[in-house]
Amino acid sequence: GSAGARLAARLDGSAGTSWLVAKGCAVRLTWSSSSDQLGLGTPPVTLPDVPSLPARVVQVACGEAHTLLLALDPAPRVFASGANDYGQLGLGDTMPRRDVARAFEVKALDKSALIGGVTCGGNVSMAVSQRGDVWSWGCNHESGVLGLGTMPVACVPTPTPIGHLRRKVRAVQAATTGWTSLCLTHLGAVFSWGGGFCGVHGHGHQEDEPTAKPLRDLSEVAVVQLATGPLHVLALSSMGEVFSWGRIAGAFGPEAQLQLTPKYIDALQGIRIVQIAAGREHNLALSEAGEVYGWGAHGAGAMGGVPKLADRTQLYSLVHKVELGLGKVREIGCGQCHSLFWATTTLESEEALSHQRESNSLWICGQGTAPAPHPAMPQEQKNFSGGATMLRGGGLAGSSLTPHIGTPLKLTRVDVKRILDMMAS
């Protein structure tokens, strides 16, 4: 099913945290937000910690303010950390956990569930079993994002099987924006359901879809990976092609535009892509050669430095090769307004022994932000200032979901080995 694609497992980010899976541990980096920096011109810092878990971590997935970890013991076990205001941790309640740093086991997904993958988006969590079943839990918007029918409940705090999917598909991956959800079948077909805002489900209209429907426009394409931002989706084909739909910025032009059905990003033609990642409004694609391409919002510094733009007021950059200078990039990940790169750097020094000539390292850039409500939420339900107010007013094209605040973190290496050694001692 996923030949050619590297399913994202090791790197992911939320609004204010970045995560890396290394040596069976989950390393969390908590970003200082732009509001709590001492000097206005200082970039954010990231504080590392390693939650102690009784099993070997193999995958991490982040929502807006929560994280799921898949671990093997040797049977799969799922752990959750972070915000729980909508029951998105899957612990059976919506109580905040005082120890935000701790990871709690999602007991409802026991060993017999045989979970093969986890995913998050917004305040929603999902899990896919090795048999192809899908569970969802968390914030149950009226959009039907959880796929559990028109349940009049605001929160589903326990993992719940999506019954109507079981009869239709054998899923290998799920993805959610927190408002709209998708799954990928073992045959490479994409099904989606939930919110139609900005056409994110890809069915060519903006009405909500309560039950999963196949994406007709991808029926001839074998999809191997999905990635989501709050209002857009990326799909990677087995041939290394990238498709996108929803509210898209930079893929087909310098302005934000609505694309109600999947469209091939021809700017990447001739480049075989093996992994895709999406942030709030920026996107990354990793090529077979280990090069990174990016497009979308650049104001937060998530694409490392501002690309050369003809017009300085341009919010979004077109598809371009991101000049990181890191050697061969192995994996990419996106937080809401930041990016993560796992790269193999060749050491130049003469003294380096042959086995030390290549070193794997994590690099990050961009900004940490405060968690925000989903931009499709009705305004009166958002008890915060600013944010996506302009979206409902129809001023979709001109506005950015990515406020430019403070000084971004330039591309910075994170010494993962030192963090793990410190935590072990």
Side-chain angles (χ1 to χ4, degrees), residues 163-175:
H164 79 270
L165 267 185
R166 188 171 278 173
R167 300 185 288 277
K168 286 183 187 173
V169 303
R170 197 173 115 207
V172 292
Q173 194 205 337

Side-chain angles (χ1 to χ4, degrees), residues 1-25:
S2 56
R6 301 176 197 167
L7 276 184
R10 281 201 296 208
L11 306 177
D12 205 358
S14 65
T17 62
S18 302
W19 290 75
L20 161 79
V21 175
K23 299 199 161 109
C25 296

Side-chain angles (χ1 to χ4, degrees), residues 175-187:
T176 182
T177 68
W179 194 261
T180 313
S181 298
L182 309 97
C183 78
L184 177 58
T185 76
H186 68 299
L187 298 172

Side-chain angles (χ1 to χ4, degrees), residues 243-285:
F243 297 79
S244 191
W245 61 97
R247 179 186 184 272
I248 295 179
F252 308 112
E255 301 293 329
Q257 61 190 82
L258 282 191
Q259 175 64 40
L260 301 182
T261 53
K263 186 175 177 181
Y264 169 57
I265 300 181
D266 51 8
L268 289 167
Q269 197 170 348
I271 304 159
R272 193 180 172 96
I273 300 299
V274 293
Q275 197 206 333
I276 48 177
R280 195 168 286 167
E281 283 190 297
H282 74 286
N283 306 273
L284 300 174

